């Protein structure tokens, strides 16, 4: 967390320089801090228009912060996951205690190398696709097409949501050659590096997938489908969003919105014009987020899915929780419940705080808070209208929402101890 804080401070200093702004005037401190935090935490919320406010140098600084933040999240989260797996692996339990808490330098190098390699491959492929489409379909000059393609490929794979267009991607709402590649990059970047690596190796043998991969892939597919259906149905006749589009364009827009709501931050529809029910669907999708050890935010799909299995087991009256042929440990259940309840508490506290200092509607405030906590970056357009206190609340939410769940889950896993005695059991009234 200190490393990411230093990165935010460095980004703030760089963005505070006059050369980072289009008009050559140094920005205010809050603008620089907010933008740097949003970029490092790969969120995408902004208080100024990225396309017109920042110079090319400023945009490149933002791009560098996004890349550093995305790689840092995937690398550190994967390393922490490796530490947890080794801590509880059977083979490591049989070795010396000092070895169970150490990770070899060779493993770190291989893991970091794989994260960087996978990231660069996907970003390079998306860069080429977007650049070609912008050059051929939108008459961009070669340099402009290459620059815009590079910026949006890095922003998409890292789930950052920063765009070089004032209306985000609304100008490409009916273009599958832009929306679908970006949606795929968002899903791959947000599903988590361990899952991507395992799918790369064992894509044709799903029975050999780990439980984590099975849960993540299944929950991701279900949430994408449910989100697409709900958003498309709720906005079908809305003239402010997709009401005038054809049915195929509506499906494309609904799918892109569902994928982006999971943590990407791009929007091809006008979020401010969406129905209240659609905003609530977005709130739920954003809060759940994407996969662990990826660039996605939220409580993570695995956490959500595990709690769903816990509820199912309790509804059936079963004494233990079974998930896809495996028994779920009590410790994992407690960790999942803790992360969800702490996330709800943080979102509710921030929502109350913003409602107390603004005259905005609950729909708008809750949407903004969940977007910041889940590092999504979608907004109804109120970010720059918030007072300084409100923007500080969002900065804290972005930082805590980005790093808090990772460090909290790892700390709880590594601190798990064996209790050598139990107190007398007693039940209380529940419900």
């Amino acid at each position: 967390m200190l490393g990411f804080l230093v990165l935010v401070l460095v980004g703030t200093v760089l963005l505070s320089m006059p050369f980072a702004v289009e008009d050559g005037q140094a920005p205010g401190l809050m603008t620089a801090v907010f933008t740097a935090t949003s970029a490092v935490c790969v969120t995408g919320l902004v208080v100024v228009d990225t396309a017109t406010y920042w110079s090319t140098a400023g945009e490149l600084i933002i791009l560098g912060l996004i890349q550093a933040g995305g790689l840092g999240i995937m690398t550190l989260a994967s390393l922490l996951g490796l530490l947890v797996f080794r801590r509880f692996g059977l083979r490591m339990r049989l070795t010396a205690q000092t070895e169970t808490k150490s990770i070899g330098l060779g493993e770190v190098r291989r893991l970091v190398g794989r994260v960087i390699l996978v990231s660069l491959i996907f970003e390079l492929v998306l860069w080429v696709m977007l650049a070609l489409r912008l050059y051929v379909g939108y008459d961009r000059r070669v340099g402009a097409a290459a620059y815009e393609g590079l910026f949006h490929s890095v922003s998409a794979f890292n789930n950052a949501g920063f765009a070089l267009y004032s209306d985000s991607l609304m100008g490409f709402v009916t273009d599958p050659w832009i929306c679908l590649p970006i949606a795929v990059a968002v899903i791959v970047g947000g599903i988590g590096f361990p899952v991507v690596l395992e799918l790369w190796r064992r894509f044709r043998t799903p029975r050999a997938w780990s439980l984590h991969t099975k849960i993540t892939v299944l929950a991701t597919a279900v949430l994408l489908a449910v989100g697409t259906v709900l958003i498309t149905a709720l906005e079908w006749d809305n003239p402010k969003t997709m009401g005038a589009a054809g049915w195929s364009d509506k499906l494309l827009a609904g799918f892109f919105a569902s994928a982006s709501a999971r943590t990407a931050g791009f929007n091809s529809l006008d979020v401010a014009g969406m129905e209240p029910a659609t905003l609530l669907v977005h709130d739920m999708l954003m809060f759940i987020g994407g996969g662990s050890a990826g660039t996605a935010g939220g409580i993570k799909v695995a956490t959500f899915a595990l709690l769903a299995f816990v509820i199912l087991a309790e509804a059936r009256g079963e004494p233990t929780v079974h998930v896809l042929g495996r028994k779920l440990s009590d410790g994992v259940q407690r960790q999942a419940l803790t992360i969800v309840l702490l996330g709800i508490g943080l979102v509710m506290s921030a929502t109350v705080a913003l409602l107390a200092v603004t005259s905005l509607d609950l729909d708008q405030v809750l949407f903004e808070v969940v977007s910041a906590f889940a590092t999504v970056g979608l907004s109804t357009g109120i970010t720059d209208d918030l007072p300084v206190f409100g923007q500080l609340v969002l900065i804290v939410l972005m930082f805590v929402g980005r790093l808090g769940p990772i460090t909290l889950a790892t700390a709880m896993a590594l601190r798990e101890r064996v209790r050598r005695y139990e107190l007398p059991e007693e039940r209380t009234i529940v419900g």
Side-chain angles (χ1 to χ4, degrees), residues 79-92:
L79 286 172
L80 291 174
L82 176 62
L83 181 62
V84 171
F85 285 137
R86 290 190 59 171
R87 170 67 175 82
F88 292 103
L90 176 60
R91 181 173 62 86
M92 296 310 298

Side-chain angles (χ1 to χ4, degrees), residues 54 60 71 86 92 94 152 155 190-191 200 209 218-219 237 243 266 283 286 329 360 368 397 405:
W54 302 106
L60 291 175
L71 287 176
R86 290 190 59 171
M92 296 310 298
L94 302 178
H152 292 97
S155 183
I191 205 171
W200 190 302
W209 294 354
L218 177 61
D237 294 322
F266 293 111
D283 291 339
M286 291 190 297
S329 70
L360 298 169
E368 196 82 7
L397 279 173

Side-chain angles (χ1 to χ4, degrees), residues 20 205 247 273 277:
T205 56
W247 68 268

Side-chain angles (χ1 to χ4, degrees), residues 58-392:
E59 293 169 357
L60 291 175
I61 292 171
I62 293 173
L63 191 66
L65 294 175
I66 292 171
Q67 186 72 83
L71 287 176
I73 285 294
M74 287 191 290
T75 302
L76 293 177
S78 298
L79 286 172
L80 291 174
L82 176 62
L83 181 62
V84 171
F85 285 137
R86 290 190 59 171
R87 170 67 175 82
F88 292 103
L90 176 60
R91 181 173 62 86
M92 296 310 298
R93 282 178 178 270
L94 302 178
T95 60
Q97 180 70 12
T98 54
E99 292 184 58
T100 63
K101 295 184 179 180
S102 66
I103 297 179
L105 183 59
E107 291 177 279
V108 174
R109 288 177 177 173
R110 286 194 299 270
L111 183 60
V112 173
R114 289 171 181 171
V115 170
I116 295 176
L117 179 61
V118 169
S119 300
L120 293 181
I121 289 175
F122 278 100
E123 289 174 359
L124 178 61
V125 172
L126 181 61
W127 178 17
V128 172
M129 295 178 67
L130 294 180
L132 287 175
R133 179 57 180 167
L134 290 170
Y135 175 73
V136 174
Y138 295 89
D139 296 326
R140 297 285 201 278
R141 291 175 299 173
V142 175
Y147 177 65
E148 293 175 17
L150 174 63
F151 189 97
H152 292 97
S153 67
V154 174
S155 183
F157 182 78
N158 290 286
N159 282 218
F162 281 86
L164 294 180
Y165 313 110
S166 299
D167 60 355
S168 190
L169 299 182
M170 291 174 60
F172 308 102
V173 62
T174 61
D175 189 347
W177 297 102
I178 295 290
C179 292
L180 290 181
I182 288 180
V184 171
V186 165
I187 295 169
V188 173
I191 205 171
F193 174 74
V195 175
V196 172
L197 189 60
E198 186 166 0
L199 291 178
W200 190 302
R201 293 174 173 175
R202 306 173 180 175
F203 183 77
R204 297 183 179 181
T205 56
R207 292 186 178 181
W209 294 354
S210 66
L211 179 62
H212 173 73
T213 297
K214 291 179 180 178
I215 291 176
T216 302
V217 171
L218 177 61
T220 297
V222 171
L223 289 173
L224 278 173
V226 171
T228 300
V229 171
L230 290 178
I231 293 173
T232 304
L234 292 171
E235 295 297 315
W236 190 270
D237 294 322
N238 186 352
K240 297 180 181 179
T241 54
M242 62 173 68
W247 68 268
S248 59
D249 293 335
K250 291 180 179 180
L251 289 177
L252 175 62
F255 173 76
F256 187 85
S258 178
S260 184
R262 302 284 306 293
T263 190
F266 293 111
N267 63 284
S268 62
L269 298 174
D270 183 9
V271 177
M274 289 182 176
E275 300 289 349
T278 310
L279 294 179
L280 186 58
V281 171
H282 275 74
D283 291 339
M284 293 184 288
L285 293 175
M286 291 190 297
F287 186 77
I288 295 171
S292 302
T295 53
I299 62 171
K300 304 295 187 289
V301 291
T303 305
F304 172 77
L306 291 178
L307 287 183
F309 281 109
V310 171
I311 294 173
L312 181 62
E314 186 64 26
R316 292 177 173 177
E318 297 175 351
T320 57
V321 180
H322 290 179
V323 180
L324 302 178
R326 293 290 187 271
K327 178 184 175 182
L328 194 64
S329 70
D330 294 338
V332 172
Q333 297 177 47
R334 293 195 302 269
Q335 292 164 22
L337 185 61
T338 300
I339 290 176
V340 171
L341 291 181
L342 287 178
I344 293 175
L346 189 61
V347 167
M348 291 299 100
S349 299
T351 301
V352 171
L354 291 187
L355 286 174
V357 298
T358 66
S359 58
L360 298 169
D361 295 335
L362 174 60
D363 290 342
Q364 295 174 303
V365 172
L366 180 61
F367 190 94
E368 196 82 7
V369 167
V370 176
S371 180
F373 167 76
T375 66
V376 177
L378 291 173
S379 175
T380 57
I382 67 171
T383 312
D384 57 339
D385 295 329
L386 294 174
V388 174
F389 173 76
Q391 293 179 1
L392 287 173

Side-chain angles (χ1 to χ4, degrees), residues 17-30:
M17 300 297 175
F19 63 78
V21 183
E22 190 67 43
D23 60 7
Q25 301 293 324
L29 178 61
M30 181 57 65

